[in-house]
Amino acid sequence: MSRRYAFALALLAGFAVSASAARAEEWTTLFDSNTKSLDVFDKAGNANWRIEDGAAVADKGNGFLVTKTDYKNFHLRVEFWVGPDANSGVFVHATNPKEITGKNAYEINIWDDRPEKDYATGAVVGVAKVDPMPKTVGQWNVYDITVKDGTFTVKLNDKTTVDGAKDTKLENGRIALQHGLGNKDASGKVNDAGVVKFRKVQIRSL
C-alpha cells in the first residue's frame, strides 16, 4: 500500500469519525414555539394541556405530556415557567407511560412550594437533595438535565443543583412533563396547582 493511499484511507476514516461525532451532538427539538399541536406527545392523567402563545400550558388536573420514545442516555434542555404554588416536574426513565409515578420514574422537581424542601425544585426526588433550593416562580427558566448510565447531573439556569448523583434502578424509559396537584388547604382538600408552561424541549442522545 502506497503512503498516499494509506493517507487517503486515514483521512476518510477521520471524516467518518467526525461525521459520527457530529450526529451524536445533534439536538432534536421535541417541542418549541413553532409546534402547532400537542400530538407530538402522548398524554397521561387529566391535566388540561393546550397550546397558548407558543407554549404547552396546564393549570388544572394531574397529568403528563409524555414522549413517544424511550431514552436511556441523554442531555435534555427544558424551558419552563411556573406560577405561584405550581407543582410540576420533568420525569425521566418512566417505565409505564400511561401511569407515571415517583416509583416508576425519576422526577427532577419543579415545585418551589413543596413542603419537604430537600426534594423541591432542583432535586432528583429520592435520589439527590438540593441545598439551597433555587426559586423559579414567575420567570422563564432552563433545566439542563444529563443522564448517563444512571448518573444524574442537573443545572438550573446554569447553576448546578445535582452533580453526579447515581441511581440505576430504572435504566430506560420515557420523558414526561408534569402538571401536578398542589398542597392541601386547611380542610384537607388537595388543590389544583398553579399555571405550568413549557416553551422549548430539546434532547440529544449520548
Side-chain angles (χ1 to χ4, degrees):
M1 181 185 297
S2 70
R3 290 183 179 179
R4 182 176 297 177
Y5 183 64
F7 176 76
L9 287 178
L11 193 62
L12 287 172
F15 284 145
V17 170
S18 297
S20 177
R23 284 193 297 272
E25 291 292 327
E26 289 179 356
W27 289 87
T28 298
T29 298
L30 302 178
F31 180 88
D32 65 10
S33 59
N34 295 315
T35 307
K36 303 304 182 186
S37 169
L38 292 177
D39 290 345
V40 295
F41 297 105
D42 291 328
K43 293 181 181 178
N46 63 355
N48 61 339
W49 293 106
R50 70 270 189 193
I51 294 179
E52 291 182 358
D53 299 324
V57 181
D59 57 8
K60 291 185 182 300
N62 183 26
F64 301 84
L65 296 176
V66 187
T67 63
K68 296 178 181 291
T69 303
D70 289 353
Y71 296 94
K72 181 179 181 180
N73 295 326
F74 56 85
H75 180 188
L76 179 70
R77 289 178 181 162
V78 179
E79 295 184 15
F80 67 92
W81 187 100
V82 286
D85 301 327
N87 174 12
S88 182
V90 179
F91 286 66
V92 302
H93 286 183
T95 57
N96 182 353
K98 296 184 181 298
E99 188 175 345
I100 296 167
T101 72
K103 294 183 178 180
N104 62 24
Y106 296 109
E107 179 186 8
I108 297 86
N109 213 349
I110 305 170
W111 192 6
D112 290 8
D113 200 36
R114 190 180 198 267
E116 210 289 278
K117 298 300 183 187
D118 282 349
Y119 292 116
T121 302
V124 181
V125 178
V127 175
K129 297 179 179 181
V130 61
D131 184 25
M133 188 201 78
K135 299 292 186 180
T136 58
V137 168
Q139 64 186 31
W140 282 103
N141 306 273
V142 179
Y143 254 149
D144 279 282
I145 300 163
T146 301
V147 182
K148 181 72 180 292
D149 298 329
T151 299
F152 293 78
T153 301
V154 179
K155 291 184 179 181
L156 178 60
N157 300 330
D158 291 325
K159 293 183 179 179
T160 300
T161 62
V162 174
D163 189 7
K166 185 85 171 181
D167 194 285
T168 57
K169 291 191 298 293
L170 307 171
E171 296 184 349
N172 196 15
R174 306 287 179 91
I175 293 168
L177 310 176
Q178 182 195 32
H179 179 276
L181 296 176
N183 293 321
K184 293 181 180 179
D185 62 19
S187 69
K189 178 184 176 182
V190 177
N191 296 315
D192 281 316
V195 178
V196 174
K197 303 178 184 180
F198 292 98
R199 183 170 64 181
K200 191 171 188 178
V201 183
Q202 293 179 299
I203 194 167
R204 66 183 180 95
S205 296
L206 298 177

